[in-house]
């Protein structure tokens, strides 16, 4: 958790999300990364983000966090050329 807070303080949101995920704080990983996703993607963090968010499931998330996760995953799938998987996530979440 400490590493996540330090990374977030320094604007390293993908690294922060990774540490939150490793600390079983999936909702916090989503909350820190979602509003900062465009900047992180521009910084070339798509693969690292996919390594984190591709492993997070909807289980235990609130409805809004589940939708944010679906949007994150769909966008990351799109960047990898996997449009079908991204669309399926969005349809399952009714986004």
């Amino acid at each position: 958790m400490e590493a996540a807070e330090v990374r977030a303080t320094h604007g390293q949101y993908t690294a922060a999300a990774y540490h939150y995920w490793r600390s079983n704080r999936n909702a916090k990983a989503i909350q820190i990364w979602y509003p900062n996703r465009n900047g992180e993607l521009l910084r070339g963090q798509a693969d690292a983000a996919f390594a984190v968010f591709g492993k997070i499931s909807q289980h235990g998330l609130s409805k809004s966090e589940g939708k944010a996760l679906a949007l994150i995953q769909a966008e990351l799938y799109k960047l990898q050329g996997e449009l079908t998987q991204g669309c399926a996530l969005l349809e399952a979440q009714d986004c």
Side-chain angles (χ1 to χ4, degrees):
M1 285 291 296
E2 278 185 51
E5 297 296 328
V6 169
R7 295 296 189 122
T9 300
H10 289 98
Q12 299 170 342
Y13 301 109
T14 303
Y18 169 80
H19 288 291
Y20 283 125
W21 168 67
R22 294 295 295 167
S23 299
N24 294 315
R25 304 287 178 130
N26 294 337
K28 189 71 174 165
I30 294 164
Q31 292 165 4
I32 196 76
W33 201 80
Y34 185 78
N36 298 292
R37 68 193 182 283
N38 291 330
E40 289 296 279
L41 294 175
L42 288 173
R43 289 185 43 222
Q45 296 298 308
D47 287 340
F50 190 77
V52 173
F53 294 105
K55 295 176 182 160
I56 297 177
S57 75
Q58 297 286 331
H59 182 71
L61 298 176
S62 71
K63 185 173 182 159
S64 63
E65 291 160 348
K67 283 189 176 193
L69 177 61
L71 291 169
I72 289 168
Q73 290 172 334
E75 186 168 14
L76 294 171
Y77 273 120
K78 176 184 151 195
L79 291 171
Q80 292 187 350
E82 300 289 338
L83 293 175
T84 303
Q85 287 181 303
C87 289
L89 287 169
L90 296 176
E91 289 174 4
Q93 271 297 313
D94 196 29
C95 291

